[in-house]
Amino acid sequence: MSYCNLVGIETGTLDFVVMHIPVEILARVRTLYDRGLNLQAYQVAISHAPLSDWQGTEARILAGRMAMQLGGQRLGYAYHLRAGRGDRTSLAATYYYARTLLSRKGLLVAWEFVRSRSEFPDATPPESAEWACFRGQLLSHFRDFDAAGESIERAIALDPQNYWLYVTQAWILEEQDLYSAAQAMAEQALELKPYDTAATLTIARMLTLLERDDAALALLQETLTKTESGAIAHTLAQLQTELGDYVGAQQSYARYAERMPLLEPGGQQWLLSRQADLAYYLGDFAATSQLAAQVESAFYQKIAERLRAQPLVGKRVLLPVGFVRQHRATCAPATLATLTRFWDKPTDHLDIAAEICYDGTAPDRERLWAEQNGWIAREFTVTWESAVALIDRGIPFTLTTTEPTSAHLQAVIGYDSYLQQLLIRDPYDRQIGEAWGPEFL
């Protein structure tokens, strides 16, 4: 019988235990995992040994991948690092090691590692294809899209039926702001592997950027019934929150919690903060205060404190300002386009960018464009009183935040006087932002 060795770790000692895991069991775990049935795969796996005890290159890679899908991000990283360090002859182990470096150490460290590891004469086409694909992904982060495209083409030539290559190509197209092309590429991946989490999430994201929220909702809801993916439940909850379906979002986060049995303390804190947000949006201030008090961050501790104040006086005003996704360095044109839509005088953000944007937008160019296109523009220093006065009159406005070498344009679209927060529409992040008024200003 074929088997993997496992090591059990006792407090203060290493207790080596040989536990036989038949190849057929590993194959069963991998099959369930590949179908998105993460909880079932996990139950089969731990019926033989805890994930924390898995040893051996193949087992560590699979354990790491499974842990990440079940909320154990740090555990997953640890196993992929151990796999890469323990078996330098395996391209698969090297690949997952490099991906961990990208997540934990950043682009430059990952790129230097990839450049130093190029010879794997015994690698099979799936492994060599994914290695070339990862190299292309890194090149796209450097915005060298020609070289990235060449790496992806080489990868697909090696393994044309590998769905992951098309998912990665979709990500690269997204980085070029080619959303329709990215959606089509991710759909090709989904044809090769139905209900895949990464492909589904990519398609859903592209649909929202193409203003097809209903289609994104339908896709996520269908996939949620076919898989046990926590990531799908999380993304669905985020979209439901943005669209004002707070009860639906609560249900989706509950399913997320069920599908994340390895959720780490940071993830648990994040989930509590989302639950606090939804309780607040539903007007349950007592539950909000109770949940927020459990979140170990100054932001939520302040929310809990303010909601305990009596009497609680205020209101939340949010103008129906939509979302236009910026491209690289086009935050100003995208924000201007967002506001023109609000006033039913829509202008395409790329048309605005072509007129006023060059690796960013100078403020005088923004104002000149507005005045030349029939708008009244006024510059002023934002105060809490001026923001509230404008929002109460139904007028969203642009807000510039500056740093030593850059600036960013967003739109103030509401306020919350219970909590003294400004509500901000950022042109890159679909979720509405919240900033403490006095501190932010």
Side-chain angles (χ1 to χ4, degrees):
M1 179 181 292
S2 300
Y3 61 88
C4 297
N5 289 333
L6 303 174
V7 55
I9 302 177
E10 301 289 346
T11 304
T13 65
L14 286 177
D15 180 22
F16 290 90
V17 182
V18 177
M19 301 182 67
H20 299 273
I21 298 186
V23 168
E24 59 267 24
I25 296 299
L26 285 176
R28 184 181 172 196
V29 171
R30 185 177 295 104
T31 297
L32 290 168
Y33 174 81
D34 286 342
R35 290 172 54 195
L37 302 176
N38 303 328
L39 294 176
Q40 294 180 49
Y42 179 59
Q43 291 302 319
V44 172
I46 63 175
S47 69
H48 292 270
L51 287 186
S52 57
D53 289 349
W54 284 37
Q55 181 175 282
T57 300
E58 184 180 356
R60 284 173 174 170
I61 291 172
L62 181 56
R65 295 177 66 192
M66 194 157 34
M68 290 183 186
Q69 293 296 324
L70 296 169
Q73 194 79 8
R74 291 172 63 87
L75 180 63
Y77 286 145
Y79 270 90
H80 287 166
L81 289 173
R82 290 177 64 186
R85 290 167 180 160
D87 189 351
R88 296 179 181 274
T89 65
S90 166
L91 181 52
T94 302
Y95 166 72
Y96 283 102
Y97 183 90
R99 287 183 59 177
T100 301
L101 286 182
L102 177 62
S103 298
R104 303 292 289 174
K105 299 293 185 180
L107 176 58
L108 186 59
V109 172
W111 175 246
E112 292 295 341
F113 175 78
V114 167
R115 291 208 305 170
S116 72
R117 303 283 289 165
S118 57
E119 298 298 327
F120 294 90
D122 298 328
T124 60
E127 295 171 345
S128 55
E130 291 184 6
W131 184 248
C133 178
F134 182 67
R135 183 183 178 90
Q137 182 182 349
L138 294 180
L139 287 165
S140 74
H141 293 329
F142 287 114
R143 302 194 69 78
D144 187 350
F145 296 119
D146 290 339
E150 292 173 3
S151 289
I152 294 294
E153 288 175 6
R154 184 163 62 253
I156 291 176
L158 288 169
D159 193 8
Q161 297 303 305
N162 188 332
Y163 82 100
W164 185 253
L165 310 183
Y166 300 95
V167 172
T168 305
Q169 191 170 22
W171 293 345
I172 293 173
L173 290 167
E174 181 184 359
E175 286 209 46
Q176 299 173 76
D177 305 305
L178 301 173
Y179 305 141
S180 293
Q183 177 191 338
M185 192 60 60
E187 286 173 345
Q188 193 169 343
L190 207 60
E191 290 178 7
L192 293 169
K193 188 180 178 184
Y195 301 112
D196 174 70
T197 295
T200 299
L201 293 177
T202 303
I203 295 169
R205 186 166 63 253
M206 295 308 101
L207 287 171
T208 61
L209 297 180
L210 294 167
E211 302 179 63
R212 297 179 58 197
D213 290 344
D214 289 345
L217 276 173
L219 174 64
L220 292 167
Q221 288 167 337
E222 179 187 3
T223 306
L224 196 62
T225 65
K226 302 292 186 180
T227 71
E228 297 168 348
S229 170
I232 295 292
H234 162 221
T235 303
L236 176 60
Q238 282 190 313
L239 183 54
Q240 289 169 323
T241 301
E242 169 70 14
L243 298 177
D245 181 9
Y246 304 133
V247 173
Q250 283 182 323
Q251 294 169 350
S252 295
Y253 277 127
R255 299 181 77 173
Y256 169 82
E258 293 168 359
R259 297 173 184 211
M260 290 292 184
L262 299 182
L263 196 62
E264 295 164 347
Q268 293 168 0
Q269 287 283 297
W270 171 87
L271 181 57
L272 278 171
S273 69
R274 299 288 78 79
Q275 292 169 332
D277 290 343
L278 290 170
Y280 183 76
Y281 300 151
L282 288 167
D284 190 343
F285 293 165
T288 304
S289 181
Q290 182 181 17
L291 289 164
Q294 299 176 59
V295 182
E296 298 171 359
S297 78
F299 186 88
Y300 281 92
Q301 289 298 313
K302 185 178 289 188
I303 288 176
E305 180 183 348
R306 292 200 175 176
L307 291 181
R308 285 195 292 266
Q310 295 297 330
L312 188 60
V313 178
K315 60 181 178 178
R316 183 180 175 91
V317 180
L318 181 64
L319 301 179
V321 177
F323 176 74
V324 175
R325 174 71 175 271
Q326 74 171 85
H327 290 188
R328 182 178 181 274
T330 65
C331 61
T335 299
L336 292 174
T338 297
L339 296 187
T340 65
R341 287 187 179 192
F342 175 79
W343 294 108
D344 293 325
K345 302 291 183 182
T347 305
D348 186 86
H349 115 262
L350 293 181
D351 291 340
I352 302 175
E355 289 189 47
I356 67 174
C357 189
Y358 180 77
D359 197 30
T361 308
D364 60 304
R365 299 281 292 169
E366 298 169 28
R367 178 169 183 161
L368 182 63
W369 179 89
E371 292 176 338
Q372 290 179 343
N373 286 272
W375 300 94
I376 298 173
R378 295 289 184 269
E379 295 178 21
F380 64 99
T381 299
V382 180
T383 64
W384 176 260
E385 291 74 20
S386 64
V388 168
L390 285 167
I391 297 301
D392 280 344
R393 288 164 174 78
I395 303 173
F397 58 93
T398 64
L399 174 73
T400 304
T401 53
T402 59
E403 298 177 8
T405 60
S406 65
H408 189 51
L409 196 71
Q410 304 147 88
V412 175
I413 64 172
Y415 69 86
D416 186 324
S417 57
Y418 288 118
L419 301 176
Q420 289 279 296
Q421 289 179 343
L422 294 178
L423 308 180
I424 298 174
R425 172 68 81 191
D426 188 282
Y428 189 81
D429 187 357
R430 175 68 187 266
Q431 305 300 304
I432 294 171
E434 299 170 335
W436 293 114
E439 293 86 346
F440 180 71
L441 295 174

